[in-house]
């Protein structure tokens, strides 16, 4: 029997929206549902006091691929924002990522050779291949930078000692021997003018969208209305945690509108790298779009340990959780070949927006190659 829809996409975040857009473009009938009452997943932005507020934390789009950049620019113009966050440690400020401005501030050095010599001396305490985040960080930037900018911040963010965290977490951050405060190395970077939500509105044009619909609560009915399902929620939840829950790190955001304050922190992102401050970051959203509004909106980001029922943010990709995920993934292949699991939660992998766009487009191509 012909179904109402060819595809049911569960989740209106970046993975789901790109898949829905591409499938619709290829003539498929697509229904998209989301348990939240808005589109865009964690990229969602909302206008507060004329400022586009990133309600689930800072999303700065950047990519090293021209095709991905062009793809995104179909849906919005991107401005020339460059992320140059400031770190605060016991009231003193430092530039990020780790670069000559940082080294100069900490050690008083002025040349790359002097900075490299300091690091070379300090990294001598590490012998052999770094086995964890602490050893990796010290071998990259030395003990002093590790203590001021990495240790307490990382332990606050992940709720685990740096010695028990994988080195891969810190590999995301550039270390530079130039006076360059750009947090990213990618040649293309910016914030969509008008916020992210308009991108999602455009991506989902032509699909049917039902918000406030929890697929897992209504699965019996929803499974019947489409031939194929693209599920971007948590894979362990999809299988009712049958092998036990995967672990995540969660976040809580406190949003504050400050009337009459034009410029609170002078920069979009401040990282708080000492443990006496309970939040990891504060985001002053207007700076993403060079706003000159009379008021400002600031969001404070508090990490906490995920428990069933809380919002999962960062997968904890240690060996234990990875092998648990592998069991769920094998179950999915064996039992539900008509379901494509995607996105950060569906694949239990932390990805940047550009990787998500690439993964979604590839997944859709693969689906079409196999079935259409
Ligand atoms: N990190 C740090 N100090 C900082 C910023 C980042 O030690 O001021 C480390 C920390 O371990 C973090 C990792 O670098 O988990 C990755 O940081 P990134 O800013 O990429 O995290 P995201 O923005 O993706 O949460």
């Amino acid at each position: 029997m012909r179904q109402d829809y060819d595809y049911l996409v569960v989740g209106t975040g970046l993975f789901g929206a790109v898949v829905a857009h591409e499938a619709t473009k290829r003539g498929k009938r697509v229904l998209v549902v989301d348990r939240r009452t808005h589109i865009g997943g964690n990229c969602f932005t909302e206008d507060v006091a004329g400022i586009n507020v990133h309600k689930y934390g800072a999303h700065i789009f950047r990519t090293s691929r021209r095709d991905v950049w062009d793809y995104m620019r179909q849906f919005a113009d991107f401005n020339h924002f460059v992320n140059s966050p400031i770190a605060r440690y016991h009231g003193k400020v430092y530039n990020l990522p780790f670069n000559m401005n940082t080294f100069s501030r900490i050690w008083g050095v002025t040349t790359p050779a002097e900075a490299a010599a300091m690091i070379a001396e300090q990294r001598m305490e590490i012998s052999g291949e770094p086995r964890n985040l602490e050893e990796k960080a010290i071998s990259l930037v030395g003990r002093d930078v590790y203590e001021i900018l990495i240790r307490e911040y990382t332990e606050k963010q992940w709720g685990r000692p740096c010695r028990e965290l994988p080195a891969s977490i810190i590999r995301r951050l550039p270390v530079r021997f130039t006076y360059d405060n750009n947090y990213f190395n990618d040649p293309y970077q910016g914030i969509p003018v008008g916020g992210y939500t308009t991108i999602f509105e455009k991506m989902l044009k032509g699909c049917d969208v039902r918000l406030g619909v929890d697929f897992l609560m209504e699965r019996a009915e929803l499974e019947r209305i489409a031939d194929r399902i693209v599920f971007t929620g948590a894979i362990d939840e999809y299988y009712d945690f049958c092998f036990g829950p995967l672990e995540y790190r969660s976040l809580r955001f406190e949003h504050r509108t400050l009337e009459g304050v034009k410029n609170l922190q002078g920069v979009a992102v401040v990282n708080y790298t000492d443990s006496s401050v309970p939040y990891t970051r504060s985001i002053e959203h207007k700076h993403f779009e060079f706003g000159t509004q009379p008021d400002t909106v600031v969001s404070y980001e508090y990490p906490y340990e995920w428990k069933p029922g809380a919002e999962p943010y960062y997968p904890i990709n240690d060996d234990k959780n990875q092998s648990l995920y592998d069991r769920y993934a094998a179950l999915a292949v064996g039992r539900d070949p008509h379901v494509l699991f995607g996105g950060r939660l569906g694949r239990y992998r932390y990805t940047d927006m550009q990787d998500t766009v690439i993964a979604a487009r590839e997944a859709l191509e693969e689906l079409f190659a196999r079935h259409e």
Side-chain angles (χ1 to χ4, degrees):
M1 201 185 72
R2 193 149 162 74
Q3 310 279 19
D4 299 354
Y5 294 97
D6 302 304
Y7 285 81
L8 167 66
V9 177
V10 182
T12 61
L14 195 52
F15 190 95
V18 169
V19 168
H21 177 76
E22 290 301 314
T24 306
K25 210 166 83 184
R26 289 165 170 77
K28 298 293 165 193
R29 295 157 308 156
V30 182
L31 171 66
V32 191
V33 300
D34 202 303
R35 56 158 74 140
R36 288 180 180 164
T37 52
H38 61 72
I39 58 171
N42 287 353
C43 297
F44 174 65
T45 51
E46 184 180 55
D47 182 329
V48 179
I51 297 159
N52 290 308
V53 174
H54 297 213
K55 297 292 282 217
Y56 302 92
H59 283 76
I60 298 142
F61 193 85
R62 79 252 164 48
T63 181
S64 47
R65 278 178 48 170
R66 176 67 191 259
D67 61 321
V68 175
W69 184 236
D70 289 341
Y71 184 81
M72 290 304 285
R73 288 192 308 158
Q74 294 177 81
F75 307 106
D77 288 333
F78 282 74
N79 69 16
H80 65 284
F81 178 83
V82 169
N83 192 28
S84 303
I86 290 290
R88 272 184 81 111
Y89 184 76
H90 293 297
K92 274 185 107 173
V93 300
Y94 300 85
N95 287 110
L96 291 172
F98 314 119
N99 72 79
M100 282 306 297
N101 290 303
T102 330
F103 305 141
S104 173
R105 177 97 168 141
I106 291 178
W107 294 316
V109 296
T110 56
T111 67
E114 287 168 340
M118 283 303 285
I119 293 173
E121 191 190 318
Q122 295 197 0
R123 82 154 60 102
M124 278 174 16
E125 68 171 283
I126 307 295
S127 54
E129 258 311 288
R131 286 161 302 178
N132 53 51
L133 193 149
E134 176 174 296
E135 292 186 3
K136 181 73 189 175
I138 293 171
S139 73
L140 282 173
V141 288
R143 167 70 65 177
D144 291 340
V145 177
Y146 170 68
E147 293 293 343
I148 296 171
L149 299 176
I150 301 173
R151 186 168 64 83
E152 292 162 57
Y153 179 92
T154 301
E155 296 189 348
K156 194 158 51 166
Q157 181 166 15
W158 293 96
R160 289 156 176 74
C162 288
R163 283 170 175 276
E164 290 172 23
L165 286 165
S168 58
I169 292 175
I170 199 86
R171 258 185 237 128
R172 292 166 49 81
L173 257 70
V175 177
R176 290 199 198 105
F177 292 92
T178 52
Y179 288 91
D180 177 1
N181 296 324
N182 184 345
Y183 202 63
F184 302 120
N185 284 325
D186 311 73
Y188 307 105
Q189 179 174 179
I191 297 285
V193 177
Y196 280 93
T197 305
T198 56
I199 290 186
F200 288 86
E201 283 162 1
K202 288 189 184 154
M203 282 181 175
L204 296 173
K205 217 166 154 204
C207 314
D208 286 344
V209 179
R210 292 190 208 158
L211 298 176
V213 172
D214 189 338
F215 169 83
L216 295 174
M217 304 288 278
E218 300 178 33
R219 71 198 290 169
E221 187 216 325
L222 286 170
E223 273 171 349
R224 263 186 265 118
I225 65 174
D227 295 325
R228 295 192 190 291
I229 296 174
V230 177
F231 185 80
T232 69
I235 190 167
D236 53 337
E237 195 181 359
Y238 183 93
Y239 288 111
D240 207 15
F241 306 107
C242 66
F243 302 133
L246 288 162
E247 289 176 303
Y248 300 89
R249 194 75 179 146
S250 196
L251 296 176
R252 180 172 70 78
F253 293 96
E254 203 178 285
H255 305 288
R256 288 192 209 150
T257 303
L258 305 176
E259 283 172 24
V261 178
K262 278 188 89 153
N263 182 8
L264 184 74
Q265 55 187 39
V267 66
V269 182
V270 178
N271 287 10
Y272 298 83
T273 58
D274 70 74
S275 56
S276 70
V277 178
Y279 36 86
T280 43
R281 285 185 273 220
S282 62
I283 313 292
E284 188 173 14
H285 301 268
K286 70 192 315 176
H287 296 305
F288 287 132
E289 297 186 60
F290 314 104
T292 54
Q293 298 85 346
D295 307 325
T296 199
V297 181
V298 186
S299 303
Y300 297 87
E301 184 175 319
Y302 294 81
Y304 70 101
E305 199 62 15
W306 178 87
K307 298 262 177 319
E311 198 65 59
Y313 273 90
Y314 295 100
I316 309 274
N317 290 105
D318 57 13
D319 294 345
K320 183 183 88 179
N321 283 289
Q322 202 51 46
S323 52
L324 186 55
Y325 165 74
D326 291 342
R327 290 179 71 194
Y328 282 114
L331 182 64
V333 170
R335 197 197 281 180
D336 295 308
H338 66 296
V339 182
L340 168 74
F341 290 88
R344 185 174 44 98
L345 302 176
R347 295 197 179 158
Y348 196 63
R349 196 178 305 151
Y350 184 73
T351 49
D352 298 323
M353 281 184 283
Q354 60 157 331
D355 302 327
T356 306
V357 172
I358 294 166
R361 292 178 70 192
E362 284 177 359
L364 205 267
E365 290 297 339
E366 230 180 275
L367 265 184
F368 266 69
R370 242 186 304 138
H371 302 290
E372 308 297 341

